[in-house]
Amino acid sequence: MRVDIVSIFPEYFAPLELSLIGRARARGTLQLDVHDLRTWTHDVHRTVDDTPYGGGPGMVMRPEPWGQALDALVPADGPAPRLLVPTPTGAPFTQALAHELAAEPHLLFACGRYEGIDQRVLDHAAERMPVTEVSLGDYVLFGGEVAVLVIMEAVTRLLPGVLGNAGSLDEESHAHGLLEAPVYTKPPLWRGHEVPAVLRSGDHGRIARWRRDESLRRTAGRRPDMLAAMPAETFDKHDLAALQGTGFPQSSQGMAE
Ligand code: JF8
């Protein structure tokens, strides 16, 4: 996979040299290039921002450097990349979108700063390539750089050969609709806290049941939205026993009132 990132802070992407992402780059699984947007400015101050039309606080990223950056990074022949623009007004970034992106041959990330990028950059780009505005979540960052680091980590670990078998795609927590149960390792007693006896019993049936019960209760407590999205038929009588007292399942899940 080829990835280009455009930012006024290219140093933000130093962590992409490390660990498994760094190894994927060294092996050629990931061909990553980070570009300084100011490369495509021509005034002495290398200006990338200007005041917003209509007034209001802050500054907006000027369209001209972005237009030239995209002209330079989008191949004239051959397939256009998919343009990804982190913004608090984007569609939520999810594991499903990470899978979609991992199947793309070429991603181009545009990192905004200030109040964002002049909308015409995205509207013009959308005439030439698919454009996706994404948000990490409902909180406000200074710019798109950290969002791109997150998206790159989620996508890179899905590329063939990036994880060894040891880390075999453990997406339980977001692929199966329930949060994972808690995990433990040695020693069996630590600072007065024991590993639950069932996990040391060797009884794989009881262990699986215990994990599912913990998953159900954890999801009910922390992510009621995830549990509410599951149809009532998902829960068998053991599940319903584990969920006693949590407020699930709800009548909107098809239960009789
Ligand atoms: C930004 C450019 C974001 N979940 C998120 N919160 N804030 C952002 C974000 C992204 C880009 C810019 N300010 C200026 C905030 C995402 N993704």
Side-chain angles (χ1 to χ4, degrees), residues 146-177:
V146 167
V148 170
L149 288 172
V150 170
I151 294 166
M152 281 301 296
E153 185 151 325
V155 170
T156 309
R157 66 188 289 285
L158 299 177
L159 298 179
V162 168
L163 284 182
N165 257 356
S168 61
L169 285 192
D170 185 11
E171 293 176 61
E172 305 285 328
S173 283
H174 281 280
H176 293 195

Side-chain angles (χ1 to χ4, degrees), residues 21-147:
I21 298 180
R23 192 178 312 164
R25 289 177 75 178
R27 282 203 334 236
T29 304
L30 175 65
Q31 188 198 318
L32 173 65
D33 292 292
V34 181
H35 311 270
D36 186 342
L37 178 67
R38 292 189 205 275
T39 306
W40 294 285
T41 58
H42 303 285
D43 62 309
V44 281
H45 297 112
R46 309 180 87 193
T47 311
V48 295
D49 61 337
D50 206 338
T51 54
Y53 272 116
M59 300 291 272
V60 173
M61 291 191 113
R62 301 169 51 218
E64 299 94 329
W66 280 111
Q68 289 194 21
L70 299 187
D71 289 348
L73 297 175
V74 175
D77 53 339
R82 179 160 176 179
L83 179 63
L84 288 150
V85 187
T87 162
T89 61
F93 179 66
T94 60
Q95 189 66 20
L97 183 54
H99 277 279
E100 256 187 55
L101 300 183
E104 298 278 359
H106 186 185
L107 303 178
L108 172 48
F109 288 98
C111 297
R113 280 269 150 177
Y114 319 110
E115 302 305 311
I117 303 171
D118 186 305
Q119 187 61 39
R120 294 170 296 177
V121 172
L122 310 192
D123 296 346
H124 179 263
E127 293 164 2
R128 285 157 181 75
M129 67 197 95
V131 178
T132 308
E133 296 182 56
V134 287
S135 168
L136 285 198
D138 294 338
Y139 39 80
V140 182
L141 306 173
F142 277 132
E145 284 77 8
V146 167

